[in-house]
Amino acid sequence: MSKLRQRLSRWVQSRTMPGLTPGPYDITVRKNLRVPMDDGVELLADLIIPEGVGTALPTIVIRGPYGRSGAVAGQARALAREGFPVLFQSCRGTWGSGGVFTPQIDEQRDGVATHRWVRRQPWFTGTVATFGPSYMGFTQWAVAGHLAREEPENAPDALCLLVTMPDFGAITWDNAAFSLRNALGWTQMMDRMIRRDMLPLLLGMVRPDPKLRRGFGTLPLADGDLVATGRRVHWYQDWVRHERLTDEYWTRQSHTASLPDVTAPVYMITGWYDIFLPWQIRNHAQLTAAGRPPRLTIGPWGHSDRAMGATAIAESAAFLREHFAGGPGGRSAPVRAFRTGAQQWHDLPSWPPPGVIGGTWHLHASGRLHPDLPDGGVTSYVYDPDDPTPAVGGPSLEPRQGPSDNAAHEARTDVVVFRGEPLAGPVTVAGTPVARIGFRSSQPSADVFVRICDVHPDGRVMTVGDGIRRIGGVAAAGTDPPAGEDGFREVAVELWPVFHEFGAGHRVSVQVSSGAHPRYARNPGSGDPAATAAATHRATQEISHSPARPSGVELPLWRHP
């Protein structure tokens, strides 16, 4: 690169990643290297080399489907400016790479072939680290445990995992509910990328897309891609037609079971509003239980929050220098977490932090939320899939990803609210709340959606965390809790992990409803296969407040040391 282009590249990086100070090294880019796969297909990659690096830092491998320019390329170049050679490869069937793109399916075999190839190259520095957010994190998980077990000589020597997880089936069918907004929105985006339909792609990133909105409203679900893209998209059809996560379609692309095989050091970064947060927290717990706790950072970010970029680059570079070049650790504790509400960072020895004490806050028929057991009664509401309860905020791939005000939403007749008294002092919830709802529906299938909110003294009702669980239907088969003689069943709903302080004078609020459309596909009520169900059925939903079958939310409460 010329000096002018080097300066321009640094300026672009600092603009796209607020707070980033680009590293000291100039870089050279070798474009369109051809990397052969075992079946003869060639994948294209760019090699980004820092100039004048003395210490042999690891070669970083990034594999993804979103192209080798733009924001992700900015991260690759930022790492190279920190002194790391970076190979940035486009997945099969994307951005000039050969073959057909089928999400998740080919990443293990192609990743294994790529790691073998990298170690044979003259520019290889002797060790390999992997890096990347979202799908680029999935490609890391696809090879890490497999290679550690089968070919340790080719396994990554460190992993830097940003807002990701190793099993995309689990988020696609989240507790048996189809994640429509993410699944169909991502499908439309990738379809346009593959076809290089760039103008609609760019416009869709800055304003609501009318085709996508119509796709969200389409029944049956199997027609959503046709409306949103104008064609059938093979992977979307696979997703909606494989509801059970035990289907071979999903099990062959899940890499959760191989996590304990990973012995390399791991750095993780995520955000409280990220779409993958619950699963990344579970992955952290898996590695911790295996005796290899990762370094973990959880900030006040959503999935594609630009504010996370500078922290991810700085902490990844420091993490890799510490392990491979004897650099300073830079962290006083393995976990660094931002406490929302209090707006404070905390260095913690573990997640959840020590000192968490569980307690159940019960839902009362009066609308009260209190630790005391309820004294009876039933709360009922009607869910109409032709006027589905809308999603208000929540983790997503959309530009706005933080907490939303639920004040107007709580006025809907299909949302019931239970509210605590104003708090005498601050209360912090740290961990994963679990709602246990005594629930009965007039239809064979129903969704239970639970959200915790922070009610501010000025009237704002701000999202803290939520979760969903479907009962009845194909995806829920074998997992439904049994119904009692009265038809009520205890439905456990694991909510989003949180680290939040409710301030003095604030109130804890719990919502119960039966949907959050289009974040999750509406439940037609019939229990028929989701791909083909078209008829809708209104449902009367009931919540039990019996002392024998109480409804409530288990809150992990934390006392600040």
Side-chain angles (χ1 to χ4, degrees):
M1 281 189 177
S2 68
K3 292 296 183 184
L4 177 60
R5 291 181 65 191
Q6 297 281 358
R7 288 198 296 271
L8 179 61
S9 177
R10 283 191 169 91
W11 180 82
V12 170
Q13 286 176 3
S14 65
R15 297 289 291 178
T16 56
M17 283 183 276
L20 176 72
T21 301
Y25 296 100
D26 289 342
I27 57 176
T28 300
V29 182
R30 293 172 54 189
K31 290 183 173 293
N32 298 327
L33 277 66
R34 295 185 173 272
V35 184
M37 299 296 101
D38 293 344
D39 61 353
V41 168
E42 291 184 324
L43 307 188
L44 297 188
D46 293 347
L47 179 64
I48 310 167
I49 300 290
E51 299 176 0
V53 177
T55 304
L57 292 170
T59 300
I60 294 178
V61 173
I62 304 174
R63 301 188 62 253
Y66 304 128
R68 302 186 303 283
S69 60
V72 180
Q75 292 183 331
R77 295 187 179 209
L79 288 168
R81 292 196 185 282
E82 296 290 337
F84 302 91
V86 180
L87 183 83
F88 187 11
Q89 183 187 72
S90 290
C91 293
R92 178 179 293 252
T94 68
W95 302 97
S97 289
V100 175
F101 180 60
T102 302
Q104 294 94 253
I105 297 298
D106 297 304
E107 304 311 345
Q108 185 171 93
R109 66 168 179 168
D110 290 350
V112 167
T114 300
H115 278 268
R116 291 171 180 161
W117 181 85
V118 165
R119 289 181 179 271
R120 297 195 300 266
Q121 303 312 302
W123 39 260
F124 175 55
T125 57
T127 52
V128 169
T130 55
F131 174 93
S134 195
Y135 198 99
M136 282 74 81
F138 177 87
T139 62
Q140 297 178 63
W141 281 131
V143 300
H146 173 80
L147 284 175
R149 184 179 63 251
E150 304 293 337
E151 301 177 40
E153 70 278 8
N154 290 318
D157 299 293
L159 289 79
C160 297
L161 298 151
L162 286 58
V163 290
T164 192
M165 65 184 291
D167 180 356
F168 282 2
I171 186 176
T172 304
W173 287 98
D174 183 359
N175 287 319
F178 186 66
S179 298
L180 177 62
R181 184 169 61 190
N182 289 339
L184 187 57
W186 189 86
T187 291
Q188 185 196 64
M189 179 190 73
M190 285 304 306
D191 178 70
R192 288 173 172 172
M193 282 189 178
I194 290 169
R195 294 187 290 109
R196 305 294 179 93
D197 193 5
M198 300 308 294
L199 181 58
L201 178 65
L202 294 173
L203 290 176
M205 292 179 178
V206 297
R207 68 183 188 189
D209 186 287
K211 290 184 178 180
L212 186 58
R213 188 184 304 115
R214 289 196 297 271
F216 290 153
T218 298
L219 287 178
L221 284 180
D223 289 343
D225 57 346
L226 188 62
V227 174
T229 71
R231 70 201 74 239
R232 299 291 187 191
V233 180
H234 63 96
W235 68 75
Y236 180 81
Q237 292 297 314
D238 286 337
W239 293 350
V240 298
R241 295 178 190 278
H242 290 89
E243 294 187 49
R244 295 186 182 93
L245 295 181
T246 53
D247 288 353
E248 191 267 343
Y249 173 79
W250 292 117
T251 58
R252 65 175 166 154
Q253 56 182 281
S254 172
H255 305 289
T256 301
S258 68
L259 259 68
D261 295 321
V262 176
T263 57
V266 171
Y267 164 74
M268 291 181 172
I269 185 169
T270 184
W272 295 120
Y273 316 118
D274 178 43
I275 61 173
F276 295 125
L277 175 65
W279 297 276
Q280 193 156 4
I281 293 292
R282 291 172 203 155
N283 299 155
H284 175 270
Q286 277 184 279
L287 288 172
T288 300
R292 294 179 289 278
R295 184 170 299 177
L296 174 65
T297 296
I298 317 173
W301 307 305
H303 186 71
S304 54
D305 199 324
R306 288 174 43 189
M308 180 172 54
T311 302
I313 294 298
E315 292 195 355
S316 294
F319 170 77
L320 295 174
R321 286 198 187 95
E322 177 185 349
H323 284 283
F324 295 100
R331 289 275 288 263
S332 62
V335 176
R336 187 168 182 253
F338 186 85
R339 184 162 55 127
T340 59
Q343 308 302 102
Q344 294 177 351
W345 283 99
H346 294 267
D347 290 324
L348 304 168
S350 62
W351 184 261
V356 169
I357 300 173
T360 299
W361 291 34
H362 293 104
L363 316 182
H364 292 246
S366 63
R368 185 183 183 214
L369 179 70
H370 196 273
D372 290 347
L373 278 171
D375 54 10
V378 171
T379 297
S380 65
Y381 61 96
V382 174
Y383 173 73
D384 183 357
D386 291 328
D387 179 23
T389 313
V392 177
S396 76
L397 298 175
E398 296 181 340
R400 185 161 184 255
Q401 302 166 3
S404 297
D405 188 350
N406 286 250
H409 182 69
E410 290 189 345
R412 288 182 60 100
T413 58
D414 55 1
V415 178
V416 293
V417 180
F418 304 89
R419 191 157 288 177
E421 296 297 323
L423 296 169
V427 171
T428 293
V429 180
T432 302
V434 178
R436 300 188 187 278
I437 308 299
F439 186 81
R440 181 170 66 187
S441 176
S442 64
Q443 296 297 338
S445 181
D447 294 345
V448 182
F449 182 82
V450 181
R451 170 171 286 163
I452 296 174
C453 291
D454 183 340
V455 183
H456 292 237
D458 62 8
R460 287 177 296 147
V461 183
M462 304 304 293
T463 306
V464 174
D466 54 38
I468 195 169
R469 181 169 177 180
R470 176 163 294 186
I471 57 173
V474 176
T479 66
D480 286 339
E485 292 182 359
D486 57 2
F488 281 100
R489 61 185 82 217
E490 184 184 279
V491 181
V493 184
E494 190 171 291
L495 276 57
W496 232 246
V498 298
F499 191 26
H500 181 78
E501 178 182 283
F502 294 83
H506 291 224
R507 303 168 76 182
V508 181
S509 179
V510 172
Q511 299 173 15
V512 181
S513 62
S514 288
H517 186 266
R519 179 177 167 192
Y520 298 104
R522 74 188 84 178
N523 190 329
S526 63
D528 293 336
T532 57
T536 57
H537 308 271
R538 287 164 58 95
T540 298
Q541 323 287 44
E542 295 177 294
I543 300 168
S544 168
H545 305 292
S546 164
R549 193 190 294 277
S551 299
V553 178
E554 298 170 2
L555 296 178
L557 303 178
W558 182 64
R559 292 185 180 275
H560 192 297

